[in-house]
Amino acid sequence: MRWRVNNETRQRLLADRAEQATGFLHRFKGLMGRRSLAVGDGLHILPCNSIHTFFMRIPIDVVFLDRQGVIVKQLSALPPWRATSVYFQSRSVLELPAGVLEASGTREGDRLTFERVSEAVP
């Protein structure tokens, strides 16, 4: 299942092919091992209030979201081999390609929404 992620506050599309990681293994693996993350891609980790970029090869933009989808913390271009603080208000984390937050004008306090995107069946 893919998700479209919109910044409702700024009326900007952040991702149109985001994955959702809810199981332990998918949440643990996250984006490790990927050589790139294309614009439009993303990973929504749920539940989550802290991440690491160990074993990653690319920097990522990160937003920590509360239960209502409001950004409580954001980190731009978080490099590989880092760990974040724990953000106790956060219920989930959205990982995006580096540069998406700046390009979209996304800021802490903005509200994001997630919409399921049906995938075409060949």
Side-chain angles (χ1 to χ4, degrees):
M1 179 65 61
R2 301 285 180 182
W3 297 82
R4 178 175 291 117
V5 184
N6 289 294
N7 180 330
E8 289 297 316
T9 305
R10 310 221 180 253
Q11 295 298 302
R12 303 286 175 140
L13 178 67
L14 300 182
D16 59 0
R17 295 178 310 277
E19 299 174 40
Q20 194 170 69
T22 56
F24 174 77
L25 290 178
H26 197 190
R27 288 187 354 247
F28 177 76
K29 182 179 181 210
L31 298 174
M32 285 192 293
R34 293 198 190 181
R35 294 184 185 273
S36 65
L37 189 61
V39 172
D41 288 348
L43 182 65
H44 184 219
I45 306 169
L46 180 74
C48 186
N49 63 7
S50 175
I51 64 159
H52 68 83
T53 58
F54 303 142
F55 305 104
M56 289 182 61
R57 302 174 183 204
I58 54 173
I60 56 173
D61 284 355
V62 181
V63 292
F64 293 85
L65 304 164
D66 70 10
R67 291 187 186 277
Q68 290 75 39
V70 175
I71 299 172
V72 296
K73 181 67 177 176
Q74 73 179 43
L75 304 168
S76 296
L78 183 66
W81 295 97
R82 300 294 193 279
T84 69
S85 297
V86 174
Y87 299 98
F88 292 103
Q89 290 180 303
S90 177
R91 183 175 187 278
S92 67
V93 172
L94 177 64
E95 299 177 343
L96 298 163
V100 169
L101 297 179
E102 184 176 338
S104 65
T106 297
R107 300 285 178 261
E108 291 175 17
D110 289 359
R111 184 173 178 276
L112 306 188
T113 58
F114 294 78
E115 174 188 351
R116 288 181 194 205
V117 177
S118 60
E119 296 184 33
V121 178

